[in-house]
Amino acid sequence: MQHNPRYYFIDNLRSIALLLGVIFHAALAYGPYFKNIWVSTDPNTQAFFSYLANWLHLFRMPLFFLIAGFCSALLITRKSNQDFIKLRLKRVLLPFLIFYPILIAMFLHIFSWSNIVANPLPPLIGVLQTIKDPQVSTMHLWFLWVLTQFCLIHWCLYRFSTAYNAILSICKKPLALCILLVATSFISLLNQPVPFHAPDKLYPQIWAWGFYGAFYLAGVGLYSNMHRITRGLGPRLLIAGTAAASLYLYFMLLPTPPTLTEVVKTIEKGYFEPTSKSHTLLVATQAVAIASWTALALMLGYHYLNTESHTSRYVSEASYWVYLVHVPLLLYIQLPLTNIDLPAYAKFAISVSGTMFVSLLTYHFGVRNKFIGHLLNGKKHTPLVPSKPTEQEKKALE
C-alpha cells in the first residue's frame, strides 16, 4: 500500500509565513513610517522596524497564497472535486465565520479600552473613533475571506480541464512564470498605495484577485510541475542578487510616510489616488522585489526546510491558531506599553514573546485535540511516521 508523501518544506514555510505575521504586526507599532497608519503605534520608535515591516510586507502574503494554491492542488488531486470544496469551506470559510464576530467584539473593546490605557493615544485610533460611518473591514481575517473566493474559483475552473491545464502549462517554464508574476503584480498594484494595503473589504476586489490570485495559481502549478520549478530555482545567486538589488531600490524610492490628513482623506474616499511622479517606477521595483523575494523564500525552503520533526509539525499545526488570535493579543500588550519608557527594541521583544506565549499556551491546553483544533487542522488518526511517496511524486521531488 502506497502512502501519500508529505511536503515538509511546504509545512515549514507555511508555519514560518504565519508566525512572521506576529513579527510584522509587532514591528508596525515601533516603526516611525507607520505612525499614522497603525492602531498601536508607540512614542518610542526605531527606523529598523520600518525597514523590517516593509520588507516582510513584500513577500509574506504572496508566499502564503502560493503555499495555499499548492495545498489546494494537492487536495484536489488526492480527493474528489466535491471533497475538495467541502474541506476548503470547512477549513477556511467556517473559521472565518466563527472568529469574525468574536474579533469584531474584541476590536471594539480594544478601541474603547485604549482611551484608558494608552497615553498618548495612537493617532489612527483617534481618527477611527471620529468616523461616523466606518467601512466594514475583515481585519486580518481578510486572508481567509479572499482564499475562500480563490478556492471557489479553483473548484469551478477544475471542471474545465482544457482551460485548467492551459493555465498550469505556464508553470512549466520558470522564467515565463516569473515574468508573469512581475507583470501581474505591477498591473494589479499600479493604482494602489505603496506599501499596498490589505484587501480587507467584504466585496471582491479586482486588484487583489489579480495580485494574490497569480501567486495562488503559481502554487497550483508548482504542485503539478515541481520538478521543473525546483530546477528553475537553481541559480540561487541570481535570484538573491535580484532580490537584494530590488529591495535596495525599493527603499530608496519609498515615499514619505502619509500624514494624518492624507490618511483621513483616503479613509473617507475609500480609495487611493497616486500623486508621486515616481509612483510607476516604484510599483515596478516593488513588483520585481515581490516576485524575487517570494521565489527566494520558496527556494530556501525547498533546499533547507524539507525535513520533518515533531517540533516543526507541532508549530505548523499551532500556527493557524496563532494567526487567528495574534493581532488582538498584540494590541492588548502594546497599548499599555505606550505608557512605559522603554527602548523600542525592548517593547518589541515583550510584545512578540508575550503574544507567542499566550497564543501557544491557549493552543496547547484549550485548542489542540479539542473541537477548534479539529476544525482548524483535522483529527489526528495516526501517529507521526515517515510516509512513502509514489513513483510519480518521487520524480517530482528529484
Side-chain angles (χ1 to χ4, degrees):
M1 179 179 177
Q2 294 284 358
H3 298 277
N4 290 323
R6 193 168 187 93
Y7 297 93
Y8 302 126
F9 79 102
I10 291 294
D11 279 342
N12 292 327
L13 280 175
R14 178 178 56 194
S15 59
I16 289 173
L18 281 163
L19 298 179
L20 281 177
V22 180
I23 304 293
F24 169 71
H25 287 113
L28 293 176
Y30 306 110
Y33 193 91
F34 305 98
K35 178 182 179 181
N36 296 321
I37 54 179
W38 185 241
V39 292
S40 61
T41 50
D42 195 275
N44 296 342
T45 59
Q46 285 289 338
F48 167 78
F49 294 112
S50 294
Y51 290 110
L52 176 63
N54 276 308
W55 170 61
L56 290 175
H57 186 56
L58 287 171
F59 69 92
R60 188 178 66 88
M61 294 312 297
L63 177 65
F64 217 157
F65 275 100
L66 187 147
I67 292 170
F70 181 98
C71 294
S72 290
L74 181 150
L75 186 60
I76 206 169
T77 300
R78 294 180 178 177
K79 304 282 186 179
S80 68
N81 200 20
Q82 293 301 319
D83 286 340
F84 160 75
I85 196 61
K86 289 179 182 178
L87 287 170
R88 288 294 85 188
L89 293 178
K90 179 181 179 182
R91 296 282 184 268
V92 180
L93 179 60
L94 190 54
F96 173 82
L97 295 176
I98 291 173
F99 282 90
Y100 185 53
I102 296 173
L103 286 172
I104 287 178
M106 293 182 72
F107 275 100
L108 289 175
H109 175 261
I110 287 170
F111 288 157
S112 61
W113 177 71
S114 63
N115 290 300
I116 302 172
V117 300
N119 184 25
L121 189 70
L124 185 58
I125 288 186
V127 168
L128 293 175
Q129 290 176 345
T130 61
I131 295 178
K132 296 181 180 179
D133 299 312
Q135 296 188 21
V136 177
S137 170
T138 54
M139 302 164 291
H140 65 287
L141 297 187
W142 68 264
F143 169 74
L144 297 180
W145 185 238
V146 174
L147 181 57
T148 299
Q149 298 166 33
F150 289 168
C151 289
L152 289 170
I153 295 172
H154 188 180
W155 175 58
C156 295
L157 189 60
Y158 189 76
R159 296 169 176 267
F160 302 96
S161 58
T162 302
Y164 185 75
N165 292 329
I167 293 173
L168 297 189
S169 66
I170 300 173
C171 296
K172 294 181 180 180
K173 301 175 181 179
L175 180 59
L177 178 61
C178 288
I179 293 173
L180 179 64
L181 289 176
V182 171
T184 52
S185 297
F186 173 75
I187 294 170
S188 301
L189 298 174
L190 189 57
N191 290 321
Q192 302 303 316
V194 178
F196 52 91
H197 57 79
D200 61 342
K201 304 297 185 293
L202 281 172
Y203 57 84
Q205 295 174 264
I206 301 303
W207 74 266
W209 279 22
F211 176 44
Y212 291 115
F215 284 92
Y216 179 91
L217 285 177
V220 174
L222 172 64
Y223 176 75
S224 302
N225 303 283
M226 190 184 297
H227 62 293
R228 294 178 183 269
I229 297 297
T230 51
R231 288 172 186 171
L233 291 176
R236 305 182 198 181
L237 290 178
L238 177 60
I239 295 174
T242 303
S246 60
L247 181 64
Y248 176 78
L249 185 57
Y250 174 75
F251 284 151
M252 292 290 291
L253 295 172
L254 202 61
T256 57
T259 64
L260 200 57
T261 302
E262 291 172 336
V263 172
V264 171
K265 287 182 178 180
T266 300
I267 293 175
E268 291 176 345
K269 289 181 179 179
Y271 61 90
F272 168 78
E273 292 181 347
T275 56
S276 173
K277 294 180 179 179
S278 61
H279 182 75
T280 301
L281 176 60
L282 176 58
V283 174
T285 303
Q286 177 183 243
V288 174
I290 289 168
S292 57
W293 278 102
T294 304
L296 183 61
L298 179 65
M299 176 192 69
L300 294 176
Y302 178 80
H303 286 290
Y304 300 110
L305 297 176
N306 204 14
T307 57
E308 181 190 37
S309 71
H310 287 279
T311 301
S312 64
R313 176 70 70 86
Y314 181 90
V315 173
S316 177
E317 293 171 353
S319 58
Y320 198 168
W321 171 254
V322 176
Y323 156 74
L324 291 171
V325 302
H326 79 279
V327 173
L329 286 178
L330 270 172
L331 299 183
Y332 276 120
I333 294 172
Q334 288 181 328
L335 286 170
L337 285 176
T338 59
N339 302 306
I340 303 174
D341 189 17
L342 286 174
Y345 292 107
K347 292 186 177 183
F348 175 80
I350 291 171
S351 58
V352 170
S353 59
T355 299
M356 290 301 301
F357 175 77
V358 174
S359 57
L360 289 176
L361 187 70
T362 53
Y363 171 76
H364 188 83
F365 292 104
V367 175
R368 191 178 188 232
N369 298 323
K370 303 294 193 302
F371 168 76
I372 293 297
H374 296 159
L375 173 66
L376 300 179
N377 297 312
K379 293 184 178 181
K380 307 298 180 291
H381 300 290
T382 57
L384 184 63
V385 295
S387 55
K388 297 179 180 180
T390 63
E391 291 300 321
Q392 180 181 358
E393 288 172 320
K394 282 181 180 178
K395 293 179 180 179
L397 288 168
E398 290 177 354

